Amino acid sequence: MLTLIRREIEDNIVHFVVAALLSALLVFALWLMWSEQLPNNDPLEMLTIFVLLVVLVRLCRMGQLHICAETSRNALVFLCTLPVTRTQLLAAKVITATLVILTFGLPPLFALRFFAYSQPSFGPCLGFERYVWDLTFTLFLLLVGSYCSGLLSGFNSSRTIRAFGTFVLPLVLALLVLAKGFSLQTYLILVLFIFAVLLHVRHRFAAISL
Amino acid sequence: MATGPVISVEGLVKYFDGRCVLDGIDLHVEQGCVYGLLGRNGAGKTTMIRILLGQDFATRGRTRVFGTDSAHIPSKVLAHIGYVAEGHNLIQHYRVRRLVNLCRKLAGQWNDTLFDHLAKTFHLPMDCRVREMSIGMRAQLNLALAIAVDPELLVLDDPTLGLDTVARRQFLELTVDLLQRQGRTILFSSHILGDVERIADRIGILRGGKLIVDCPLDDLKQRVKKLRLIFADKPPVDLHMTDIINRQTQGREMVITIANMNPQKQAIIDTFKPSSCTEIPMSLEDIFIECTRLDGQTTPAEIEE
Amino acid sequence: MQIRIDHSSARPVYQQIVDHIKRDIALGRLHKDEKLPTVRELAAQLAINPNTIAKAYRQLEREGIIVTKPGSGAFVAGLDRGLSMSMRKELICRDLERTIIEAVHMRIEENALIDWFNKGVQKFKFHDRKDE
């Protein structure tokens, strides 16, 4: 299994690099915001949201590529002749995607906490702590959900529908989060969505003829 | 490993886009058997092999490998199967070294000495990308990877495609070497019938979606006979028998190919009093061509044990 | 041992191997107690299925022409005169029959054939073989 994961990481190195760069960008933006280097924080907030949207779309695209890319398919045909199951192959992809998400998400999270605690006025009060956790958890689920929606739309053979899906599906999820806010309901919906999609994708993945 | 046939195909039916490619195939390959699967291009050999190994799925019927259903072969069982797929595609964008390492790590058992020996014999370029290699080199790499896992079942789909004469002989010798180890089973499909003739125990011929021949190779040669009959006058038009695969008449001569030859059929021929009746020896290639030719006069006979 | 296998022949491969070994023994090319190549060696040399070689060896053993000693291999059996003679008879008679059939098809008369046969025999020296 480890071999498969390592293989996926090697094949997805581009995604890791991009995630790291965007992560660094976010950290920089956060630093600028907290250290009040700029008179107005609005452009930085816009930047943060923009980066998040880019990441959402990229993750969705990554999910699609994992299912439908030419190189993925060829590799899949060959790998299925080796002693690995299709479920293991899919699991390796999902784990790699999670690692990409963590690569993107962890540094800004730590930066946020660091900056927060370094400002006495924003000290560790219960409300803020709770807010950060909610934010982290929701964003994490949102990012995973984006990747999963990519997996789902990757099975579609039409390029236009896939291109459509890359933008629309993550947007729908993001709007859901905006509408419902960081609440238990949001978590539930996202978790159920991810769970259902993974089960469905696993079933379909096992049934495609190579 | 479970006892019973290594490969078991029951009532296999496969439709592609409404077209019937396999129409009720029944096939069993016992342990230790070398099974040569023959058929013209598009006869369904590759389809059947892919369904057998879980890469594609049957429309109806079932296939089993080592007693397990083809659609869900556990990795423990896959570890004992070596597969050389048609086209030798492997993973195109990988370098050979990376591909070999991947196979080595994922394999259940791996014989490093054997693989290194094969890599040297075939002069495999380890730092090339797979897509940069000729099809012959890819075939040799594919074969080396399949044999290095010391498989109990070796499935070869047109393995010598693209190989030059020397490489083909090397491949044959490799296969024979594998066979020396007890209990190895081989299923292979090839267009080079000379090679099939050398190593196959049993032959299967696919035609029109059906397995029209499924019997030991020696039996096949005994049962399919080509006779040259010369008559004093015109050849009879009413020489009818079951299992006449082919019939050609020219002047006073009639050449007929008969499947399932037996003394009764010989007796029937004798009643027509040919002035001479000689047997024309047939190689496997000749038999195959007779069985799969589509003439007006051919009737697909079934030759089964 | 150099065996030429004719794959296009109707005669099964294992039978061709049996014939060849019998012929070699009959012609004195293989002596009593001489070791035959192993199944492995012969299969590798001819590039054919080892099962075929094994089948040939089994047949030869059944006919008492070779003996297999487990662990050592296959050896030419000590043939008594009768067995050796019957083998040689089988080989020669088969060729003779083939010629006779050809002659019949060509509508050669029986007397002419016998006459030609005798003329052919006179061309060569036949030994009085008292050995073996």
Side-chain angles (χ1 to χ4, degrees), chain A residues 38-60:
Chain A
L38 297 179
N40 194 355
N41 272 340
D42 285 343
L44 291 171
E45 280 170 15
M46 298 298 296
L47 178 69
T48 314
I49 295 180
F50 179 70
V51 165
L52 275 174
L53 284 175
V54 165
V55 169
L56 283 177
V57 168
R58 273 206 74 86
L59 275 173
C60 187

Side-chain angles (χ1 to χ4, degrees), chain B residues 145-158:
Chain B
L145 289 172
I147 292 200
V149 301
D150 200 20
E152 301 258 336
L153 169 65
L154 187 59
V155 179
L156 307 165
D157 194 352
D158 211 356

Side-chain angles (χ1 to χ4, degrees), chain A residues 3-4 6-7 10-11 71 74-75 77-86 88 206-210, chain B residues 50 54-57 75 78-79 81 83 90-94 98-99 102-103 105-108 142 145:
Chain A
T3 322
L4 289 176
R6 196 176 310 152
R7 191 196 81 88
E10 281 169 15
D11 280 351
T71 45
N74 286 339
V77 174
F78 178 71
L79 288 170
C80 282
T81 66
L82 301 178
V84 293
T85 60
R86 294 202 201 183
Q88 282 174 319
I208 41 174
S209 42
L210 300 170
Chain B
R50 278 156 51 86
Q55 304 229 313
D56 201 345
F57 304 99
S75 37
L78 273 175
I81 303 178
Y83 178 35
L90 306 168
I91 302 183
Q92 296 278 307
H93 63 282
Y94 273 30
R98 188 177 172 203
L99 187 66
L102 183 65
C103 292
K105 289 215 191 80
L106 290 175
N142 207 349
L145 289 172

Side-chain angles (χ1 to χ4, degrees), chain A residues 12-178:
Chain A
N12 284 288
I13 201 81
V14 175
H15 289 108
F16 276 98
V17 167
V18 171
L21 287 175
L22 289 174
S23 185
L25 188 63
L26 262 192
V27 169
F28 185 62
L30 281 172
W31 176 74
L32 283 179
M33 273 199 270
W34 286 107
S35 56
E36 289 169 355
Q37 300 272 340
L38 297 179
N40 194 355
N41 272 340
D42 285 343
L44 291 171
E45 280 170 15
M46 298 298 296
L47 178 69
T48 314
I49 295 180
F50 179 70
V51 165
L52 275 174
L53 284 175
V54 165
V55 169
L56 283 177
V57 168
R58 273 206 74 86
L59 275 173
C60 187
R61 183 81 189 118
M62 183 169 141
Q64 285 182 346
L65 288 174
H66 276 182
I67 298 293
C68 73
E70 188 67 31
T71 45
S72 283
R73 272 303 172 94
N74 286 339
L76 185 62
V77 174
F78 178 71
L79 288 170
C80 282
T81 66
L82 301 178
V84 293
T85 60
R86 294 202 201 183
T87 310
Q88 282 174 319
L89 288 169
L90 183 63
K93 290 183 195 284
V94 173
I95 291 173
T96 307
T98 315
L99 290 174
V100 170
I101 291 170
L102 290 175
T103 309
F104 168 73
L106 284 180
L109 177 66
F110 286 134
L112 192 64
R113 292 183 71 87
F114 176 75
F115 293 140
Y117 288 125
S118 64
Q119 296 266 351
S121 51
F122 290 100
C125 67
L126 205 60
F128 185 71
E129 191 77 24
R130 177 76 191 276
Y131 178 75
V132 169
W133 272 118
D134 279 347
L135 180 74
T136 320
F137 203 49
T138 314
L139 278 178
F140 176 74
L141 286 176
L142 182 60
L143 292 168
V144 173
S146 217
Y147 170 71
C148 289
S149 66
L151 285 177
L152 197 58
S153 56
F155 283 104
N156 200 299
S157 47
S158 156
R159 215 184 248 181
T160 10
I161 295 187
R162 286 204 303 265
F164 187 67
T166 323
F167 292 103
V168 168
L169 291 166
L171 210 61
V172 166
L173 290 174
L175 285 173
L176 165 76
V177 168
L178 276 175

Side-chain angles (χ1 to χ4, degrees), chain B:
Chain B
M1 284 290 121
T3 49
V6 169
I7 293 176
S8 173
V9 176
E10 284 159 21
L12 178 62
V13 176
K14 178 70 181 173
Y15 278 82
F16 265 135
D17 297 327
R19 192 171 60 90
C20 186
V21 178
L22 297 171
D23 189 8
I25 307 283
D26 289 292
L27 179 65
H28 298 275
V29 182
E30 299 290 333
Q31 194 181 33
C33 175
V34 179
Y35 197 99
L37 185 63
L38 310 176
R40 299 198 60 186
N41 286 335
K45 308 184 295 292
T46 302
T47 308
M48 194 176 98
I49 288 176
R50 278 156 51 86
I51 293 175
L52 204 53
L53 295 174
Q55 304 229 313
D56 201 345
F57 304 99
T59 311
R60 269 203 305 278
R62 66 203 303 194
T63 56
R64 304 181 113 101
V65 182
F66 289 116
T68 65
D69 188 32
S70 287
H72 309 103
I73 307 179
S75 37
K76 265 202 319 276
V77 173
L78 273 175
H80 292 283
I81 303 178
Y83 178 35
V84 174
E86 189 196 38
H88 308 294
N89 284 318
L90 306 168
I91 302 183
Q92 296 278 307
H93 63 282
Y94 273 30
R95 288 192 198 277
V96 174
R97 199 182 297 276
R98 188 177 172 203
L99 187 66
V100 171
N101 279 332
L102 183 65
C103 292
R104 185 185 284 136
K105 289 215 191 80
L106 290 175
Q109 63 249 16
W110 179 270
N111 190 335
D112 240 343
T113 358
L114 180 58
F115 184 82
D116 287 338
H117 169 74
L118 290 174
K120 261 207 262 314
T121 316
F122 292 149
H123 305 291
L124 292 176
M126 295 306 272
D127 293 308
C128 227
R129 282 196 200 276
V130 173
R131 59 166 172 250
E132 289 162 9
M133 292 163 71
S134 70
I135 189 165
M137 292 251 82
R138 290 204 318 265
Q140 289 175 325
L141 174 61
N142 207 349
L143 196 60
L145 289 172
I147 292 200
V149 301
D150 200 20
E152 301 258 336
L153 169 65
L154 187 59
V155 179
L156 307 165
D157 194 352
D158 211 356
T160 54
L161 178 70
L163 292 185
D164 66 41
T165 318
V166 173
R168 251 197 312 116
R169 179 54 73 98
Q170 281 174 330
F171 154 73
L172 210 59
E173 286 167 1
L174 253 185
T175 321
V176 167
D177 190 60
L178 180 74
L179 284 172
Q180 308 278 20
R181 289 165 247 171
Q182 291 304 315
R184 300 310 157 110
T185 316
I186 299 186
L187 169 68
F188 80 118
S189 100
S190 173
H191 289 293
I192 318 273
L193 298 187
D195 288 352
V196 178
E197 215 162 7
R198 297 180 101 105
I199 61 174
D201 293 322
R202 273 184 90 91
I203 298 287
I205 300 184
L206 274 176
R207 177 189 138 156
K210 293 208 186 284
L211 203 62
I212 58 169
V213 173
D214 180 15
C215 68
L217 176 57
D218 290 337
D219 274 12
L220 184 62
K221 290 201 172 183
Q222 291 307 308
R223 291 210 238 166
V224 181
K225 295 280 183 197
K226 194 172 195 175
L227 297 174
R228 184 168 172 235
L229 306 169
I230 301 186
F231 295 91
D233 211 341
K234 264 179 18 179
V237 289
D238 56 346
L239 199 155
H240 292 300
M241 269 192 297
T242 53
D243 297 334
I244 293 187
I245 303 176
N246 200 357
R247 184 205 308 253
Q248 280 166 331
T249 323
Q250 192 173 37
R252 291 187 298 122
E253 185 179 292
M254 182 195 283
V255 176
I256 52 171
T257 314
I258 305 174
N260 298 321
M261 187 65 180
N262 54 32
Q264 287 89 335
K265 295 203 171 86
Q266 183 66 55
I268 296 176
I269 292 172
D270 290 336
T271 62
F272 287 89
K273 301 202 194 342
S275 52
S276 90
C277 173
T278 37
E279 188 188 315
I280 302 176
M282 293 220 284
S283 68
L284 179 60
E285 186 172 313
D286 297 325
I287 295 174
F288 174 75
I289 290 174
E290 293 289 331
C291 286
T292 55
R293 201 208 298 265
L294 291 167
D295 279 335
Q297 299 214 320
T298 51
T299 45
E302 300 235 337
I303 305 170
E304 261 146 43
E305 201 174 35

